[in-house]
Amino acid sequence: MTQTLDLFPIGNCAASALIDRSGRFVWACTPRVDGDPAFCALLSGDRADDQGFWSIDVEDMASVRQSYLRNTPILITEITDKSGAVVEITDFAPRYRQFGRVYRPMAFVRKVRPVSGTPRIRIRMRPMVNWGEARATITTGSNHLRYVGGEMTLRLTTEAPVSHIRDERLFRLEEPFSMFLGPDEGFDTDVAATTARMLSETTQYWRGWVRTLSVPLEWQDAVIRAAITLKLCAHEETGAIVAALTTSIPEHEGSQRNWDYRYCWLRDAYYVVQALNRLGAADLLENYLVYLRNVIDMAKGGHVQPLYGVGLEPSLVERFAEHLPGYRGMGPVRVGNQAHEHLQHDVYGQIVLSTVQAFFDQRLFRPATVEDFRALEPVGDRAFELHDQPDASLWEFRGRENVHTYSAVMCWAACDRLGNAAQQLGLMERADFWNGRAAQVRETTEKGAFNEKLGRFAATFGGDELDASLLQLVDVRFVSPDDPRMAATIKAVEEGLRRGPYMLRYAVPDDFGEPKTAFNICTFWLIEVLHMSGRSQEARDLFEEMLGRRTAAGLLSEDITLDGAELWGNYPQTYSLVGLINCANMLSRPWTSVR
């Protein structure tokens, strides 16, 4: 079976899994999103049909239909065999309020029922341990199976015959049954009734959450699906938001650009909360601010890393998982990410930009206080100190450093927004102080980043390079789109980096050669500036093009081939879904147009 990224995520903000077009679990990590993948078929290469999956195979399968239950991450897979018999599989991770708190176990439910006829099925449950090194050991109970190995112990509880599952026996599906895969704990209630209640309450939870969103008039289905998936990328226990649910999906064929994105990049998380704020989803922001306050405390006024583990771990040492061949056999499979060692000065701006809303937003359970402002000021001090110093940039170059315009502008934003927060708190002396610093950083940045000879901004101080992050100067309000300097920059970026409909992040060789795929968020950035520059119809056409490149689940990965034929890079990618939401909000007709 050829591996693709045409996958459906399910989850509950603690557990997450990816399900392929035949209904197989091909990716799920335990005990959390950055853990050991019990289901690792996605990265098993030519062994993907033998290990690391959980399938419900229908004998003589003829066709498969899949869709989410409306406004939820609950997946319905309907498989028809050649005789016309139909099996329905409902997959979800439980999430709902119980006993005064949110119940979101590291667990998955699969409910299987015959819709018509008497199909014959085979359940193959093959979790792996230690990054694909060996199959989990199986022990059998009266109504459960245990899968043990390494640090993993999972229990599958079911009313189906456990020997059929253990021996992968083909059997007639005459009655519905349920499977609950979770921690090694007893399941002391009726499996069918309990999982039915879980399904009902999980459905109600997600539909209730979606109902709180302020969605645009147009493209509502796309926006809702993107918003739900962004929420699935949250590790709610700590407030972390991961950049993607996967590791080591290459940026293009044979690229070696295989990165582990299952961590919390402060930059990516800023973009996520910004997009969801535009939809009115304050819950993710408020939880993420808890995570950020812990990061700020850990930094003690000093260096802040670009990323941390979902449990606030600072050390994410990068290594290779030698037992996994990789996506389509294209290793290496990386665990950890060396970027935790990088200097990326834009991070100070993203911390402040993520936090500043809390000084103004009265909806929050915990609005920000003067004490929070005082704790945030050292982050601004670092931004001011480092705004004209070299770093690895938001693109995380591993072999070179420069003073990057995007990083400098984000340092300006840190000072500027601290001025706004101070004014809101009535701290006028501190507002003057931070506004003065913002003016200094602006002066330095405009002088260093603007190339007089070319009449535009450059990606580095004193340079002439282009990169797509220059388009963000408008979004962060450093410059207006009708400023002649910005108009020239937009023109140069489009001419230099646009390939057909799609945008490269940069076109110069890096540590791994020249990029060969477009970076999806950069295309969305282009759509935004096209609209703000008065080219709205062109922006809408390009947005529709991007919508047409989504998977059947309605999602995008990090990269796309220049002919638009295939997605590459980690999936689902929060950056890309943020771009979808932001552009839909910007381009949609207003609700008043139909009232």
Side-chain angles (χ1 to χ4, degrees):
M1 184 181 296
T2 302
Q3 292 167 316
T4 76
L5 296 181
D6 198 3
L7 307 170
F8 290 78
I10 62 170
N12 62 5
C13 304
S16 59
L18 297 177
I19 298 173
D20 72 9
R21 296 307 303 276
S22 66
R24 297 190 311 162
F25 276 57
V26 295
W27 186 256
C29 299
T30 60
R32 63 187 198 186
V33 64
D34 57 354
D36 187 2
F39 300 113
C40 56
L42 183 63
L43 299 183
S44 293
D46 59 8
R47 300 203 297 269
D49 291 334
D50 182 60
Q51 67 177 38
F53 60 85
W54 181 9
S55 68
I56 300 171
D57 304 325
V58 177
E59 186 181 40
D60 295 327
M61 182 183 73
S63 64
V64 181
R65 292 196 307 173
Q66 288 174 297
S67 63
Y68 284 114
L69 202 59
R70 189 178 73 87
N71 291 353
T72 77
I74 299 168
L75 180 63
I76 309 297
T77 301
E78 189 177 271
I79 304 175
T80 304
D81 70 16
K82 292 179 181 177
S83 71
V86 179
V87 177
E88 181 187 83
I89 306 164
T90 302
D91 289 310
F92 68 100
R95 180 183 173 87
Y96 48 87
R97 291 200 65 80
Q98 177 174 269
F99 307 130
R101 59 185 182 272
V102 176
Y103 176 66
R104 42 169 167 71
M106 178 61 214
F108 304 103
V109 175
R110 309 200 78 176
K111 295 183 72 65
V112 184
R113 72 181 185 95
V115 176
S116 63
T118 52
R120 287 161 57 83
I121 68 170
R122 187 192 314 274
I123 299 170
R124 292 188 294 164
M125 179 80 166
R126 299 183 182 181
M128 306 295 289
V129 297
N130 191 24
W131 286 87
E133 182 177 11
R135 285 196 192 180
T137 299
I138 303 175
T139 65
T140 307
S142 56
N143 293 104
H144 71 265
L145 298 166
R146 295 171 73 246
Y147 299 87
V148 182
E151 298 180 359
M152 180 189 80
T153 302
L154 295 173
R155 181 186 291 233
L156 180 72
T157 304
T158 182
E159 71 268 46
V162 293
S163 65
H164 286 357
I165 300 172
R166 181 195 61 208
D167 300 336
E168 298 184 355
R169 184 178 297 133
L170 194 65
F171 66 98
R172 286 168 60 94
L173 179 63
E174 297 183 339
E175 298 290 338
F177 66 88
S178 303
M179 295 180 283
F180 182 93
L181 178 69
D184 187 24
E185 301 169 353
F187 200 99
D188 300 327
T189 60
D190 182 283
V191 178
T194 301
T195 56
R197 177 180 61 82
M198 288 178 172
L199 175 59
S200 175
E201 296 196 21
T202 300
T203 302
Q204 290 177 33
Y205 168 80
W206 284 104
R207 288 182 173 168
W209 184 77
V210 167
R211 194 178 177 190
T212 69
L213 301 180
S214 299
V215 297
L217 173 61
E218 298 180 84
W219 308 296
Q220 290 182 45
D221 289 344
V223 169
I224 289 169
R225 182 54 50 201
I228 288 173
T229 307
L230 288 180
K231 189 171 173 69
L232 295 185
C233 290
H235 184 73
E236 195 167 64
E237 181 189 32
T238 63
I241 302 169
V242 299
L245 297 179
T246 57
T247 177
S248 303
I249 308 299
E251 292 183 14
H252 58 81
E253 187 171 0
S255 69
Q256 300 287 303
R257 302 169 188 262
N258 301 12
W259 314 119
D260 191 348
Y261 278 5
R262 303 167 304 145
Y263 307 111
C264 185
W265 268 261
L266 304 187
R267 176 189 314 111
D268 300 53
Y270 153 67
Y271 280 112
V272 169
V273 297
Q274 178 201 52
L276 290 179
N277 284 346
R278 289 170 175 169
L279 299 179
D283 58 330
L284 211 67
L285 166 66
E286 192 147 31
N287 208 29
Y288 176 59
L289 291 181
V290 175
Y291 186 86
L292 268 189
R293 287 193 289 269
N294 279 301
V295 168
I296 292 167
D297 285 352
M298 288 166 53
K300 298 180 179 177
H303 172 64
V304 176
Q305 297 175 191
L307 69 154
Y308 294 84
V310 298
L312 293 160
E313 296 86 357
S315 181
L316 303 170
V317 177
E318 191 173 298
R319 63 181 177 87
F320 293 162
E322 303 290 351
H323 301 291
L324 287 176
Y327 180 73
R328 299 186 190 172
M330 298 177 193
V333 171
R334 285 185 167 93
V335 185
N337 198 303
Q338 187 232 331
H340 77 276
E341 301 175 356
H342 287 187
L343 300 176
Q344 295 178 28
H345 302 326
D346 59 302
V347 69
Y348 301 102
Q350 275 115 22
I351 290 174
V352 177
L353 285 166
S354 296
T355 306
V356 72
Q357 181 174 334
F359 294 98
F360 294 85
D361 195 338
Q362 294 301 312
R363 298 173 302 163
L364 303 184
F365 288 127
R366 186 193 179 282
T369 64
V370 171
E371 289 73 22
D372 293 323
F373 177 80
R374 300 295 187 196
L376 196 58
E377 285 193 290
V379 176
D381 290 335
R382 289 286 289 177
F384 182 74
E385 173 190 349
L386 297 170
H387 74 273
D388 59 353
Q389 299 301 304
D391 72 354
S393 97
L394 80 161
W395 305 127
E396 301 182 343
F397 295 123
R398 296 193 170 202
R400 64 176 185 268
E401 289 188 340
N402 281 293
V403 182
H404 289 96
T405 301
Y406 177 85
S407 297
V409 168
M410 282 296 175
C411 289
W412 165 82
C415 298
D416 180 73
R417 301 322 194 260
L418 280 169
N420 293 348
Q423 185 169 356
Q424 173 69 7
L425 293 168
L427 305 174
M428 302 314 297
E429 181 181 344
R430 300 313 295 166
D432 291 342
F433 175 82
W434 285 110
N435 289 335
R437 280 192 158 182
Q440 288 181 254
V441 177
R442 172 180 283 281
E443 182 179 0
T444 302
T445 303
E446 290 187 341
K447 181 178 179 181
F450 189 72
N451 186 309
E452 294 281 355
K453 181 179 179 181
L454 297 174
R456 61 165 174 81
F457 290 106
T460 61
F461 280 22
D464 60 5
E465 304 96 331
L466 291 169
D467 84 46
S469 67
L470 290 170
L471 301 176
Q472 285 289 281
L473 271 60
V474 175
D475 182 75
V476 80
R477 302 200 306 274
F478 186 78
V479 65
S480 65
D482 56 359
D483 185 311
R485 299 171 302 171
M486 193 63 208
T489 303
I490 293 169
K491 182 175 184 292
V493 169
E494 187 176 4
E495 290 176 351
L497 301 181
R498 186 169 179 175
R499 302 292 186 270
Y502 312 119
M503 287 287 290
L504 303 176
R505 53 194 160 176
Y506 49 82
V508 296
D510 59 17
D511 316 309
F512 294 85
E514 290 188 13
K516 295 182 179 178
T517 48
F519 205 70
N520 287 323
I521 183 63
C522 297
T523 303
F524 287 117
W525 288 347
L526 175 64
I527 293 167
E528 291 177 16
V529 297
L530 289 177
H531 173 70
M532 288 186 283
S533 301
R535 298 161 63 184
S536 295
Q537 186 56 54
E538 189 176 349
R540 287 179 68 92
D541 292 344
L542 187 50
F543 183 59
E544 292 286 359
E545 164 70 23
M546 291 301 293
L547 291 179
R549 300 303 175 179
R550 294 173 299 153
T551 62
L555 305 175
L556 289 164
S557 66
E558 182 181 43
D559 306 276
I560 192 168
T561 54
L562 299 182
D563 63 1
E566 188 169 14
L567 294 171
W568 288 86
N570 283 304
Y571 174 89
Q573 176 73 12
T574 55
Y575 260 163
S576 302
L577 302 181
V578 161
L580 187 158
I581 289 172
N582 289 344
C583 288
N585 266 321
M586 181 177 289
L587 297 173
S588 174
R589 290 180 291 122
W591 280 96
T592 53
S593 67
V594 296
R595 290 175 185 162

